Amino acid sequence: MTPGVGLVSVLLLIIPATTYATTPTFSVDYHRNCFLKDGEPFRYISGSIHYSRIPRVYWKDRLLKMYMAGLNAIQTYVPWNFHEAVPGQYDFSGDRDLEQFLQLCQDIGLLVIMRPGPYICAEWDMGGLPAWLLKKKDIVLRSSDPDYLAAVDKWMGKLLPIIKRYLYQNGGPIITVQVENEYGSYFACDFNYMRHLSQLFRFYLGEEAVLFTTDGAGLGYLKCGSLQGLYATVDFGPGANVTAAFEAQRHVEPRGPLVNSEFYPGWLDHWGEKHSVVPTSAVVKTLNEILEIGANVNLYMFIGGTNFGYWNGANTPYGPQPTSYDYDSPLTEAGDLTEKYFAIREVIKMYKDVPEGILPPSTPKFAYGKVQMKKLKTVSETLDVLSFSGPVKTLYPPTFIEMNQAFGFVLYQTVLPVNCVKPTPLSSPLNGVHDRAYISIDGTAAGILERNKALSINITGKAGSRVDVLVENMGRINYGKGINDFKGLVFNLTLGADVLVNWTVYSLSVDEAVSKGLLLASGSSSTSSTSTPPPALSPPTFYTGSFIIPDGIPDLPQDTYIQFPDWRKGQVWINGFNVGRYWPSRGPQITLFVPAHLLSTSVQNNITVLELEASPCSSGSCMVEFTDTPILNGTVNGQYKRQLFNKQDLF
Ligand SMILES: *[C@@H]1O[C@H](CO)[C@@H](O)[C@H](O)[C@H]1NC(C)=O
Ligand SMILES: *[C@@H]1O[C@H](CO)[C@@H](O)[C@H](O)[C@H]1NC(C)=O
Ligand SMILES: *[C@@H]1O[C@H](CO)[C@@H](O)[C@H](O)[C@H]1NC(C)=O
Ligand SMILES: *[C@@H]1O[C@H](CO)[C@@H](O)[C@H](O)[C@H]1NC(C)=O
Ligand SMILES: *[C@@H]1O[C@H](CO)[C@@H](O)[C@H](O)[C@H]1NC(C)=O
Ligand SMILES: *[C@@H]1O[C@H](CO)[C@@H](O)[C@H](O)[C@H]1NC(C)=O
């Protein structure tokens, strides 16, 4: 061997060694009370964005706006039920492409605080848990129930290896990973469950991964939510006593970084309750207090986005959240810059550099105007195309899950066993309509039963008359002990004193029928709608309409909002995409966000509406309208009032 060759070998050895020395690291520094990133003290100022609530085409725009606000990290949840709708079938494509989302974060220069669940709360159906877990009727969710754990282990065995590839120390953007979610607010307080999760996360993510928990800033929450080996953080909103809140964290973590994992620049909504508004002045005041003491913070939500389709959750007493998850955030549902955004940016500027350069503008909105709608058939007249498998006959009514259906609508049919000449109560004595039932007798609307709100209606009819009960799942409870939220007729209906029996039950594939255009093929209703006053109530009915995007206007299609003047409640699809629920008669949300990518400039755009109560169509006006301005704070038809930032109040 010559000296020359030896030198080359040495150099070759040095190169990988140098690479090794710069391997990224992220950890907790218990001496200096901060995080350490690549050996340097580090503080994050982060914002929440849920990829599941934003169309993939807009991920980059929203992330850029977050980056330009001065954030150095984002926080996101992984909703299990979004990715595993059917046990063992995983979907990470399109709007579910988690890896693409993480890659974008990294490309833009944002670190990621990952919250993979398995439970996420998030005002998301069942807090992200798949409804099929309820096939075991008495399953204890979020506990060491063996069936629950087996499903969690399988899912995490799929998800955590993906997350591992994107950990900071492996060259990715993920700096910390949350285990469970505010577990201290849950009744079970099962330490074996938390220990199991902790071991599971460690197994897949390794010893170096920074794992953490988040709980309300009170010792009562931290008691069951925190666990040795998982860094405990807290959450609280504007107006909180910041000193006292972090004292709670210090009680569990005497040293290490102070972290508010959910600081609320806005708050959630419920149908029938006033739109939540959080004043910018209160947000910036408390944010400044948090940053001033060097604490880490995540603004939940920085952009809320949309509960498209059926994805909204609900709180207790049963109150489902609307389609919009705008959250009065610094970026609106549609990604628009607000006065709150700029005010927050100014606060951040006092503590760190905010990127220079051009801020991506709010996307333009276009008012496509009114669209004439045409009545199609009722749900009961369309069963041939809505129910592929045909009906199931049962003595007592099954739940959605017993029908193998998670979301949407199920039709329960029976006949009146006796003549009801006088008004006779048709009731759900045990409050078993989950969540709303539209009832007709021989095709004529007879009334609505609603969970917690309307447990009985009076009906009339002859023995043998057909009783149609269309039950709507309005979203599963996502917080507290009510998350085992079965849907459908979960208890018997009674007629007078007798239990109604002998049901014919149709599982309905409305979304599939809409996207395949089957409803149009089945034609319009035979009963023509002449100009008569609108009935108080009609059986649930489909409507369709189409519009063409005008030529000659540059930059179309643009985002828009759809509203339903004089319509009551229902579901809307645009070109087969389930945009969400509308309910202007209850409020506060009036307009639904329609992102531009759903629209076509080359062919006509198709709107399908399932109106559940009554349309304005029989009175002559039969229009829906596209506007350029969102209305999320319409008048409400409801009494219940909840407090801002108070999670006890959602229980
Ligand atoms: C905030 O909490 C701290 C610590 O518990 C307490 O000393 C202080 O008086 C509180 N401030 C206010 C304004 O209540
Ligand atoms: C049903 O009719 C009875 C007797 O007329 C009446 O007392 C009751 O209030 C009615 N119930 C409803 C829900 O309208
Ligand atoms: C319905 O009523 C029948 C007869 O009273 C009872 O056996 C059955 O358990 C009830 N089902 C439900 C879901 O309440
Ligand atoms: C329900 O169906 C069974 C079997 O077909 C029949 O014997 C019974 O009379 C029916 N009950 C009612 C109330 O219609
Ligand atoms: C709307 O429906 C028409 C007729 O069925 C179809 O030709 C057209 O492609 C549809 N538009 C879109 C954007 O899917
Ligand atoms: C709704 O919000 C808009 C815009 O912030 C405001 O101008 C309007 O007064 C609000 N309406 C109600 C009913 O609160």
Side-chain angles (χ1 to χ4, degrees):
M1 188 197 283
T2 66
V5 173
L7 186 61
V8 170
S9 320
V10 169
L11 284 176
L12 284 178
L13 280 173
I14 285 170
I15 293 160
T18 310
T19 313
Y20 184 72
T22 61
T23 292
T25 59
F26 196 88
S27 59
V28 168
D29 185 334
Y30 289 97
H31 300 288
R32 280 181 280 182
N33 294 331
C34 62
F35 288 112
L36 276 190
K37 181 167 158 282
D38 301 325
E40 298 293 324
F42 175 80
R43 178 251 289 273
Y44 67 69
I45 304 175
S46 159
S48 283
I49 170 173
H50 299 155
Y51 61 92
S52 55
R53 287 181 157 126
I54 294 169
R56 174 192 174 116
V57 292
Y58 280 135
W59 286 349
K60 191 173 174 185
D61 175 77
R62 310 312 192 237
L63 290 169
L64 260 175
K65 286 168 178 163
M66 295 175 81
Y67 176 77
M68 293 302 290
L71 304 180
N72 53 14
I74 63 106
Q75 190 202 62
T76 197
Y77 278 130
V78 180
W80 179 3
N81 54 8
F82 195 57
H83 294 282
E84 194 183 357
V86 176
Q89 290 179 24
Y90 305 101
D91 187 353
F92 287 96
S93 66
D95 289 343
R96 293 166 169 78
D97 193 343
L98 175 61
E99 292 195 59
Q100 170 64 20
F101 180 78
L102 293 171
Q103 193 57 56
L104 271 174
C105 294
Q106 182 159 31
D107 293 349
I108 287 169
L110 289 162
L111 298 165
V112 174
I113 297 154
M114 200 70 195
R115 309 215 281 176
Y119 164 86
I120 62 168
C121 191
E123 290 71 69
W124 189 264
D125 188 81
M126 210 168 146
L129 299 175
W132 49 257
L133 289 169
L134 299 175
K135 279 187 180 165
K136 182 189 174 190
K137 272 199 172 118
D138 56 352
I139 194 163
V140 185
L141 301 167
R142 306 178 69 195
S143 80
S144 41
D145 180 310
D147 294 284
Y148 173 70
L149 284 191
V152 167
D153 289 354
K154 228 174 135 221
W155 163 237
M156 286 299 165
K158 184 81 192 166
L159 177 63
L160 293 177
I162 297 174
I163 290 178
K164 176 168 187 168
R165 292 204 292 279
Y166 289 86
L167 288 177
Y168 188 75
Q169 50 271 35
N170 297 333
I174 299 174
I175 49 173
T176 60
V177 180
Q178 182 182 295
V179 178
E180 244 281 346
N181 188 76
E182 293 186 338
Y183 191 62
S185 301
Y186 193 56
F187 75 92
C189 193
D190 180 345
F191 287 109
N192 287 333
Y193 167 54
M194 284 301 283
R195 265 191 289 272
H196 179 92
L197 287 184
S198 173
Q199 282 161 13
L200 188 68
F201 278 49
R202 279 276 168 243
F203 174 78
Y204 285 107
L205 303 180
E207 284 308 315
E208 308 78 43
V210 176
L211 303 182
F212 73 103
T213 57
T214 302
D215 281 288
L219 301 188
Y221 299 113
L222 288 156
K223 181 169 167 281
C224 296
S226 59
L227 189 77
Q228 184 84 51
L230 307 177
Y231 192 75
T233 74
V234 292
D235 52 27
F236 58 87
N241 182 331
V242 174
T243 313
F246 283 130
E247 269 175 17
Q249 189 196 350
R250 276 281 171 256
H251 193 81
V252 186
E253 296 291 354
R255 302 201 61 85
L258 296 174
V259 183
N260 181 351
S261 291
E262 291 190 0
F263 173 66
Y264 310 109
W267 195 242
L268 51 129
D269 279 350
H270 300 97
W271 290 117
E273 297 173 27
K274 212 166 160 283
H275 176 54
S276 300
V277 176
V278 176
T280 297
S281 54
V283 175
V284 298
K285 180 172 181 290
T286 307
L287 178 61
N288 188 46
E289 287 169 25
I290 293 170
L291 295 180
E292 204 171 20
I293 57 170
N296 298 264
V297 66
N298 171 69
L299 290 95
Y300 184 103
M301 300 295 299
F302 201 87
I303 171 166
T306 310
N307 296 311
F308 292 113
Y310 308 112
W311 286 116
N312 68 276
N315 284 306
T316 312
Y318 188 75
Q321 297 112 17
T323 301
S324 172
Y325 196 60
D326 179 89
Y327 217 85
D328 195 27
S329 296
L331 291 170
T332 70
E333 175 177 18
D336 291 355
L337 305 161
T338 65
E339 153 260 342
K340 193 176 278 180
Y341 174 93
F342 290 103
I344 287 171
R345 194 165 180 252
E346 287 308 309
V347 177
I348 295 174
K349 241 184 201 168
M350 291 159 52
Y351 298 94
K352 73 180 273 293
D353 289 339
V354 165
E356 301 287 328
I358 296 162
L359 211 49
S362 296
T363 52
K365 310 294 185 297
F366 195 81
Y368 299 98
K370 291 184 172 152
V371 177
Q372 180 72 41
M373 300 296 285
K374 186 180 85 175
K375 186 177 173 190
L376 298 172
K377 291 181 176 174
T378 66
V379 168
S380 302
E381 289 166 344
T382 327
L383 296 177
D384 52 336
V385 298
L386 292 178
S387 180
F388 301 115
S389 48
V392 168
K393 294 192 182 272
T394 62
L395 189 56
Y396 303 116
T399 63
F400 271 48
I401 280 306
E402 285 165 339
M403 292 294 290
N404 269 316
Q405 185 175 333
F407 297 105
F409 306 86
V410 168
L411 181 68
Y412 298 77
Q413 273 185 350
T414 186
V415 294
L416 288 183
V418 292
N419 280 321
C420 300
V421 183
K422 288 196 208 139
T424 309
L426 175 71
S427 314
S428 170
L430 297 177
N431 198 10
V433 172
H434 288 194
D435 305 296
R436 218 160 182 259
Y438 307 88
I439 294 154
S440 46
I441 312 287
D442 281 337
T444 301
I448 297 170
L449 295 175
E450 185 178 340
R451 185 172 181 178
N452 290 4
K453 290 201 160 70
L455 306 192
S456 188
I457 58 169
N458 287 328
I459 58 144
T460 55
K462 292 198 189 74
S465 294
R466 200 183 80 224
V467 181
D468 285 359
V469 180
L470 182 75
V471 179
E472 177 189 11
N473 165 359
M474 295 203 293
R476 290 186 183 79
I477 291 174
N478 60 269
Y479 180 78
K481 58 178 182 287
I483 53 174
N484 294 49
D485 195 2
F486 293 88
K487 296 303 184 183
L489 297 180
V490 307
F491 296 117
N492 293 305
L493 294 186
T494 55
L495 182 68
D498 300 323
V499 167
L500 280 170
V501 296
N502 293 348
W503 293 92
T504 303
V505 188
Y506 294 84
S507 181
L508 302 180
S509 305
V510 182
D511 290 82
E512 203 172 335
V514 171
S515 60
K516 287 182 175 165
L518 301 179
L519 297 170
L520 293 169
S522 82
S524 55
S525 175
S526 50
T527 53
S528 73
S529 48
T530 48
S531 194
T532 53
L537 211 54
S538 309
T541 304
F542 289 103
Y543 295 81
T544 186
S546 62
F547 67 104
I548 291 182
I549 292 186
D551 269 341
I553 302 172
D555 303 327
L556 291 187
Q558 291 174 357
D559 292 349
T560 184
Y561 301 91
I562 187 170
Q563 63 183 359
F564 298 83
D566 300 319
W567 297 69
R568 298 265 286 274
K569 183 189 199 306
Q571 198 84 31
V572 57
W573 292 260
I574 300 208
N575 293 327
F577 179 86
N578 191 336
V579 169
R581 310 172 203 265
Y582 65 89
W583 201 355
S585 60
R586 180 130 337 153
Q589 181 176 5
I590 304 296
T591 58
L592 271 69
F593 176 54
V594 180
H597 77 283
L598 297 178
L599 304 176
S600 169
T601 46
S602 53
V603 294
Q604 70 173 45
N605 294 287
N606 305 309
I607 309 167
T608 312
V609 168
L610 171 55
E611 167 60 48
L612 298 163
E613 295 187 4
S615 78
C617 294
S618 58
S619 63
S621 153
C622 193
M623 311 273 197
V624 296
E625 186 175 11
F626 290 97
T627 75
D628 53 12
T629 317
I631 304 172
L632 301 177
N633 62 350
T635 48
V636 291
N637 182 6
Q639 292 84 41
Y640 203 77
K641 280 186 100 166
R642 295 181 215 246
Q643 301 163 51
L644 294 175
F645 320 130
N646 187 340
K647 294 196 183 179
Q648 267 327 89
D649 197 30
L650 306 173
F651 187 67

